[in-house]
Amino acid sequence: MTDRHLLLSATNITVKYRRGRQHFTALHNVSITIPEGSTVGLVGESGSGKSTLAKAILGLAPIASGRVELLGQDITSLTGRRRRQLGSTMQAVFQDPNTSLNPSFTIRRSLTEPLRAQNLLAQVDVAARVDEVLIAVGMEPDAANRRPRQFSGGQRQRISIARALITNPKIVVCDEAVSALDLSVQAQVLNLLNDLQRKHGLSYLFISHDMSVVKHICHEVTVLYRGEIKESGPTSAVTTTPQDPYTKALLLAAPIADPRRQRERQRSVIPQVFAEPGDDFGSQEADFPRHSTTSD
Ligand code: ADP
Ligand code: MG
C-alpha cells in the first residue's frame, strides 16, 4: 500500500446491470478514497448510483471493471468465506433497520449475528460486548432482551449502528442511514456517528441524497450524477464554491432553516445553474430534486 492512512479505495469502478437482454451502466469509472478516521460523503439524487457503489464496495454488485482495496488488500472479487471475513473490518448500516434487525429476533440475537459470522463468539465476552455497543449508541443494555417493534425508528437505527460496531470495524458504510428519520432524530444519530468516530477513529462512507445532511457530517464529498462523478473535494470547498452546476442544484435543493436566506440563495444560484449555454444537462431539469421552498 502506498498510503498507510488510506483505509479504502475504489478505483475506476464500472458496474453494469442486466436489463433483459441489455446492459445498463449504473456506474461509470467512479473512484473514491476514504482516509482513516474520516467521513467521506457520496451525494446525488435518487437513482444516481450511490447504493450501487456501496454494494460494489461490499461485494454485492457486479463490478465490470475497476478495483476495490481495503487496507491495501485487493478485495474486488473476493467472494464466499474470504469476503465474509471482511466483516470484522467493514460493516454497513442501511436506511431500513429491518435490513439488519430481524423483526422476530431479539435485539441480542441480531446484535451478535456479526460475531457469529466472524466466528468470534468463542473469543469475546459476548454479554459484555452487547452491553458495551448498546451503551455506545445511547441505549440501555436491557434493550438486548426486546424485539425491534418495541423501539422507535430512531432507536432501531441506533441499534443497527450498534450491530455494525460489534465487530469493532474500521469502516462503516452508511447508505441513507438517517434518511428515514425525523430531523431531530437525524441530528442525534449524526452526533452519535461523530462521537463514535472521535472515540474509535472510525471511518464512514456516508451516502445521502440530502446535501444538508452531508454538509453536516462529511469531511469530503463526492457528487454523483447518473453514474458519473461530477465533483469531489473537501466539503467546505464543494459546498461554498461548487464548480459543477449539478452540485449547485443539489445545494439549492437542501433546505436551510431561514426562508429568507433560502430565497436569496435561490435567486443567486438559479441563474447560474440554468442559464449556462451548452450545459450538458440543461434539458434534464426535471431530474433535479425538488427544492423545499417552491411553494412559498
Ligand atoms: P441510488 O442509490 O443513488 O438511488 P442505485 O444505485 O440504487 O441509485 O441505482 C442506480 C441505477 O441502477 C438506477 O437506475 C437503478 O434503477 C439501477 N439499478 C439498481 N440496482 C439494480 C439491479 N439490481 N438491476 C438493474 N438495475 C438496477
Ligand atoms: Mg440508494
Side-chain angles (χ1 to χ4, degrees):
M1 186 163 51
T2 45
D3 183 350
R4 269 177 50 234
H5 304 294
L6 201 58
L7 192 56
L8 185 118
S9 68
T11 312
N12 295 331
I13 302 292
T14 295
V15 172
K16 296 180 183 179
Y17 290 120
R18 247 204 148 96
R19 282 191 179 165
R21 268 194 253 142
Q22 305 206 312
H23 284 284
F24 167 72
T25 303
L27 284 182
H28 185 68
N29 265 338
V30 168
S31 299
I32 199 163
T33 55
I34 304 177
E36 234 174 275
S38 78
T39 303
V40 174
L42 181 65
V43 66
E45 70 196 287
S46 175
S48 55
K50 304 180 300 295
S51 293
T52 298
L53 184 61
K55 288 178 188 159
I57 288 169
L58 296 166
L60 303 169
I63 298 179
S65 59
R67 184 181 171 91
V68 183
E69 282 185 29
L70 180 63
L71 290 166
Q73 183 197 358
D74 183 352
I75 62 164
T76 318
S77 36
L78 278 193
T79 54
R81 188 174 54 86
R82 292 185 63 210
R83 165 62 70 170
R84 285 195 299 278
Q85 280 172 348
L86 299 179
S88 56
T89 310
M90 182 161 64
Q91 288 283 343
V93 177
F94 299 98
Q95 176 167 353
D96 179 2
N98 291 333
T99 321
S100 51
L101 305 180
N102 186 323
S104 60
F105 288 176
T106 61
I107 298 302
R108 181 184 316 282
R109 169 89 191 269
S110 287
L111 285 180
T112 49
E113 232 305 297
L115 293 176
R116 200 167 291 121
Q118 299 303 311
N119 282 325
L120 294 170
L121 283 178
Q123 288 166 46
V124 300
D125 180 342
V126 176
R129 188 74 189 130
V130 166
D131 286 0
E132 197 181 348
V133 289
L134 283 170
I135 291 167
V137 300
M139 302 287 296
E140 297 288 336
D142 78 353
N145 303 316
R146 303 206 231 150
R147 287 173 211 276
R149 66 171 176 278
Q150 295 174 267
F151 298 99
S152 68
Q155 288 172 323
R156 281 200 289 265
Q157 205 55 308
R158 282 174 187 272
I159 297 167
S160 300
I161 295 167
R163 182 182 185 272
L165 294 177
I166 203 153
T167 59
N168 231 337
K170 290 191 178 307
I171 178 164
V172 180
V173 175
C174 302
D175 188 357
E176 305 276 9
V178 301
S179 304
L181 306 175
D182 293 341
L183 280 185
S184 63
V185 184
Q186 255 187 26
Q188 289 169 13
V189 174
L190 294 177
N191 287 336
L192 168 66
L193 292 174
N194 274 337
D195 285 350
L196 293 169
Q197 181 165 70
R198 265 196 302 276
K199 283 187 198 138
H200 306 287
L202 269 177
S203 301
Y204 302 110
L205 173 59
F206 188 87
I207 296 176
S208 177
H209 66 280
D210 186 345
M211 190 62 116
S212 60
V213 174
V214 167
K215 250 162 82 170
H216 186 79
I217 190 166
C218 298
H219 301 110
E220 291 168 34
V221 58
T222 289
V223 178
L224 201 59
Y225 178 70
R226 295 195 167 184
E228 296 189 26
I229 290 181
K230 284 285 170 186
E231 179 162 6
S232 65
T235 307
S236 56
V238 172
T239 58
T240 54
T241 52
Q243 298 301 302
D244 191 275
Y246 179 64
T247 312
K248 292 176 191 167
L250 279 180
L251 283 162
L252 203 84
I256 51 177
D258 178 348
R260 205 176 60 193
R261 265 187 58 220
Q262 169 89 5
R263 275 194 298 275
E264 280 163 7
R265 184 182 59 178
Q266 270 172 249
R267 260 184 236 118
S268 67
V269 181
I270 286 178
Q272 298 169 36
V273 174
F274 294 109
E276 281 176 20
D279 182 75
D280 67 350
F281 63 87
S283 59
Q284 295 162 8
E285 289 169 19
D287 286 339
F288 287 125
R290 280 190 294 149
H291 53 75
S292 56
T293 56
T294 41
S295 57
D296 74 14

